[in-house]
Amino acid sequence: MSDATVFPVPENLAEKAWVDESRYLQMYQQSVEDPEAFWAKHGKRIHWFKPFTKVKDINFGPEDVHIRWYEDGTTNVCYNCIDRHLPTKKDDTAIIWEGDDPSEHEYITYGQLYDHVCRFANALKARGVKKGDRVTIYMPMIPEATYAMLACARIGAVHSIVFGGFSPDALAGRIQGCQSNCVITADEGLRGGKSIPLKANADKALESCPGVDTVFVVKRTGGNISWNDKRDVWWHEACEAADNSCPAEEMNAEDPLFILYTSGSTGQPKGVLHTTGGYLVYASMTHKYVFDYHDGDIYWCTADVGWITGHSYIVYGPLTNGATTLVFEGVPNYPSASRFWEVCDKHKVNIFYTAPTAIRALMREGLAAVKKTSRSSLRLLGSVGEPINPEAWMWYHEVVGEGRCPIVDTWWQTETGGILITPLPGATPLKPGSATRPFFGVKPLLVDNDGNTLEGATEGNLCLSDSWPGQMRSVYGDHERFIQTYFSTYKGLYFTGDGCRRDEDGYYWITGRVDDVINVSGHRMGTAEVESALVAHPKVAEAAVVGYPHDIKGQGIYTYVTLNLGEEPSDELRKELVTWVRKEIGPIATPDLLQWAPGLPKTRSGKIMRRILRKIAENDYGSLGDTSTLADPSVVDDLIENRMNR
Ligand code: 6R9
């Protein structure tokens, strides 16, 4: 191979893995030469009530865009995740729950999972929730979060999970966006020893959501909360009163399964819509092959169910495969920086999947915190959410995995439903920092800014030229926006928003977003969202937000703020604005640096030139490029002079 650092597949691993390199190449070839036959075969990995006869019906535009997989089949996601395993796995562990406090954990068998989910499904029905209704889930990482998802899927309700770190405003926007009439939450969440006022946040959000008539509340901490008798229902009371069996609704393959809001380069977050059959085929298939999952493995993905990674690789993929999946309530550094590795030892985790930002943060804590644990159960490590820098990759490989465990650097998106570019542990020689090669059926294409296809070793905009079963189907309630966002930049192609390099060996190296989306600690954020939060403050006239390189977070949030005439900049006001953004969106959107800008660099037609603001934030003035089109070039000098130090 061309690059200096290549890690070959460990020999003992290739033998035991589902696929070795020659099998990968053969299967990949089949998958792109005859996708109908390939996906017809693999579509059968899930249970269908009524088998499909049609495999795919795809149109990537330009006018009409539609994506349909297995469209005449019927199935149920919850049935596949639970009922199907009961004859053989009733007493096997489905979920290992590890609490924020290391003294708390719980094992939940498939049999118990069935009981919990059926009861809650009946509780939902008792409050009038039915097939097609949207249910918003705003919960901490407790087993009930997974029961809630599965119960919705069981009765055909469409869940929309809102990450527990989002503010009341952000929650309200998402509830209104999909017109949920039911919300599921907890009294409080618990993370890193601190409580999070989920019910209080929900109460606040619901002041502007009159359509919500039911709020289920899990008692997690027993903290003080206010109560609305007409609307609020204790989870445990509703489940006690409910029957423990509930039929799984027969769903069409293309019926919606869930909506998940995600940030884009413009406007408010959009509701990414995923459907039933294809999504489940893809989530379960990628979970099996990418993590080389075998019966008996203990699998842990550290994500939150509030993100797509939690949907596909904590809940739906693993449970469809009858796996044991670990659900972790806490954070990597509580009570100490050894926590992840202690949990691996405690529950004998074999497969561990986390984000580069966590690796970098733990790397900074030094070797001792890792070395005091054994980690001997680990066989495979995974990474997701942002590019992993080679230093972090090497540390993960050498220190955490002691050189023994391959790393699967998995590239994908909320929109893709499952992993698209990734190594397979038994098949792919690894290069630190590269997501390597496409999964079966995935056809990456690099194009230049004019849409010309680039061949060979090159760099360009990452597109996909054909569909895969896990692909999003629409933006909820706004199909036009779906077409506009993903299919209008390059005709006939799905555009990912990512830049990418392909090397001589055909390996893909994701270089990051090429649009106005930033990636802070693996969380996606639209710069426009942060800007609109800032300008909503009465003292702010204008704001521009860009990302800048950050050692731990990958990217930090750099904000330029122009105040209204007559307002004076002060440290106090700076703090106030930072707090304001936290309150408007949530702590993940906290600006790292805020610079006062008497003016912003604009073109004569009034467009903010972000390219320049990015360069200033990156401390890279040498290459500001052409500033001659600026309406007032002198603003740039001021911005450089007053640049915030990191
Ligand atoms: C699954 C998830 C998607 C964006 C994506 C890209 C970045 C994710 C990556 C990666 C490089 C990887 N991204 N995985 N970049 N290497 N292995 O994270 O979904 O939250 O929608 O973010 O994250 O920029 O476009 P989502």
Side-chain angles (χ1 to χ4, degrees), residues 67-112:
I67 297 158
R68 294 176 201 131
W69 285 89
Y70 310 118
E71 63 182 291
D72 60 346
T74 68
T75 182
N76 181 284
V77 165
C78 181
Y79 181 92
N80 273 283
C81 288
I82 307 177
D83 306 42
R84 196 165 62 129
H85 308 309
L86 292 179
T88 52
K89 289 179 180 261
K90 190 165 163 286
D91 299 320
D92 290 359
T93 304
I95 294 172
I96 299 175
W97 177 71
E98 169 76 14
D100 185 54
D101 188 308
S103 68
E104 280 195 273
H105 74 265
E106 201 182 326
Y107 282 68
I108 298 133
T109 65
Y110 274 95
Q112 291 166 334

Side-chain angles (χ1 to χ4, degrees), residues 219-443:
K219 192 178 258 184
R220 170 63 188 104
T221 64
N224 257 337
I225 53 171
S226 54
W227 199 259
N228 173 337
D229 271 329
K230 274 206 211 88
R231 188 194 69 189
D232 301 345
V233 183
W234 280 114
W235 172 291
H236 58 275
E237 289 178 2
C239 287
E240 269 161 34
D243 197 80
N244 66 353
S245 82
C246 169
E249 194 78 28
E250 183 170 353
M251 303 297 287
N252 184 270
E254 285 299 342
D255 280 339
L257 175 64
F258 66 85
I259 297 163
L260 183 56
Y261 284 85
T262 193
S263 300
S265 47
T266 54
Q268 287 305 304
K270 25 178 198 303
V272 168
L273 180 72
H274 282 288
T275 58
T276 298
Y279 170 80
L280 201 65
V281 167
Y282 199 75
S284 69
M285 183 162 170
T286 45
H287 173 260
K288 170 179 163 172
Y289 287 103
V290 175
F291 301 105
D292 198 43
Y293 188 85
H294 287 77
D295 250 355
D297 280 339
I298 309 284
Y299 164 89
W300 180 16
C301 164
T302 70
D304 190 286
V305 293
W307 310 115
I308 189 69
T309 307
H311 286 64
S312 301
Y313 299 114
I314 295 179
V315 182
Y316 292 124
L319 293 179
T320 301
N321 293 339
T324 300
T325 181
L326 196 149
V327 172
F328 178 46
E329 184 180 30
V331 295
N333 59 357
Y334 176 82
S336 80
S338 299
R339 185 67 192 278
F340 271 0
W341 326 123
E342 285 166 357
V343 174
C344 287
D345 287 352
K346 179 175 172 186
H347 299 296
K348 304 280 175 290
V349 172
N350 308 113
I351 303 164
F352 177 77
Y353 188 31
T354 196
T357 186
I359 302 293
R360 286 191 298 265
L362 295 174
M363 196 170 141
R364 210 172 58 162
E365 302 281 339
L367 291 180
V370 188
K371 293 286 181 192
K372 66 189 263 217
T373 63
S374 150
R375 286 154 288 110
S376 59
S377 58
L378 290 175
R379 191 181 80 231
L380 177 68
L381 302 171
S383 171
V384 60
E386 52 178 313
I388 180 164
N389 48 312
E391 299 72 36
W393 195 101
M394 287 304 292
W395 188 84
Y396 200 20
H397 191 259
E398 300 308 309
V399 179
V400 176
E402 302 194 334
R404 181 182 72 241
C405 311
I407 296 177
V408 289
D409 174 2
T410 62
W411 174 84
W412 59 297
Q413 312 177 295
T414 304
E415 294 88 340
T416 70
I419 295 164
L420 293 195
I421 302 182
T422 179
L424 299 185
T428 318
L430 305 172
K431 298 184 190 184
S434 172
T436 76
R437 299 188 291 211
F439 190 74
F440 307 128
V442 173
K443 289 169 77 177

Side-chain angles (χ1 to χ4, degrees), residues 498-510:
D498 279 320
C500 183
R501 177 166 77 80
R502 183 171 51 218
D503 72 16
E504 305 73 31
D505 300 312
Y507 274 38
Y508 291 86
W509 302 71
I510 310 296

Side-chain angles (χ1 to χ4, degrees), residues 527-606:
T527 49
E529 279 170 75
V530 184
E531 287 164 5
S532 81
L534 279 165
V535 297
H537 188 281
K539 292 184 179 163
V540 174
E542 248 189 332
V545 172
V546 296
Y548 72 96
H550 187 288
D551 287 345
I552 306 279
K553 300 180 180 183
Q555 279 189 302
I557 303 180
Y558 197 113
T559 53
Y560 298 89
V561 173
T562 307
L563 293 173
N564 283 327
L565 226 56
E567 300 294 347
E568 282 301 313
S570 68
D571 283 347
E572 222 165 274
L573 183 55
R574 177 179 280 128
K575 278 196 206 117
E576 184 181 322
L577 292 179
V578 170
T579 313
W580 172 268
V581 176
R582 281 177 70 95
K583 196 186 110 296
E584 290 277 306
I585 305 175
I588 57 172
T590 309
D592 294 282
L593 296 169
L594 190 152
Q595 173 171 356
W596 304 118
L600 292 169
K602 285 188 191 161
T603 61
R604 291 194 185 97
S605 63

